[in-house]
Amino acid sequence: MADSAELLVSELVTNAVRAQASAAAEVGVRFVWSGGRLRLEVRDASDELPVMSEAKEDEECGRGLVLVDALASGWGVDRDGTGKTVWAELGGSAAGDTSGPAPGTGPEPLNL
């Protein structure tokens, strides 16, 4: 799980940094462990939604969300008036199972 979490955070943070228009923009990362599931959240101030695309064989970028989709048991985006949080979960029974804890519930998160 640790290796998958490391790769997921790397992909989500990279997407958040690339989505920022300003070099001074901030990216936040939060981890929540609850009920045998790890929820990774990456927040940025951009309104640009992540888009899963199929990169061509010779392209260097464009595979990040495909990896997130393959590794995570569920992922999605929560938007508000000041940006978005892209989240991914690890654990649970099967890929695509998004029945984990709702954002903001469960034990105290670890904010980095």
Side-chain angles (χ1 to χ4, degrees):
M1 184 182 284
D3 291 337
S4 294
E6 182 179 0
L7 182 55
L8 288 172
V9 167
S10 174
E11 292 297 335
L12 296 178
V13 168
T14 298
N15 285 352
V17 168
R18 289 184 177 187
Q20 302 286 329
S22 166
E26 293 184 19
V27 173
V29 177
R30 183 171 99 144
F31 304 88
V32 178
W33 176 260
S34 178
R37 298 176 70 89
L38 177 63
R39 183 179 178 100
L40 314 165
E41 298 178 352
V42 177
R43 174 150 181 77
D44 65 63
S46 171
D47 288 330
E48 181 182 335
L49 290 176
V51 177
M52 190 167 18
S53 61
E54 291 187 32
K56 295 178 183 166
E57 189 174 313
D58 60 343
E59 290 180 313
E60 293 183 17
C61 299
R63 294 173 183 82
L65 286 178
V66 173
L67 276 172
V68 170
D69 191 56
L71 292 174
S73 57
W75 71 276
V77 181
D78 296 325
R79 295 173 71 179
D80 61 26
T82 62
K84 67 180 177 296
T85 299
V86 182
W87 57 268
E89 290 185 348
L90 291 169
S93 58
D97 175 14
T98 59
S99 61
T105 64
E108 284 297 310
L110 172 62
N111 292 303
L112 299 177

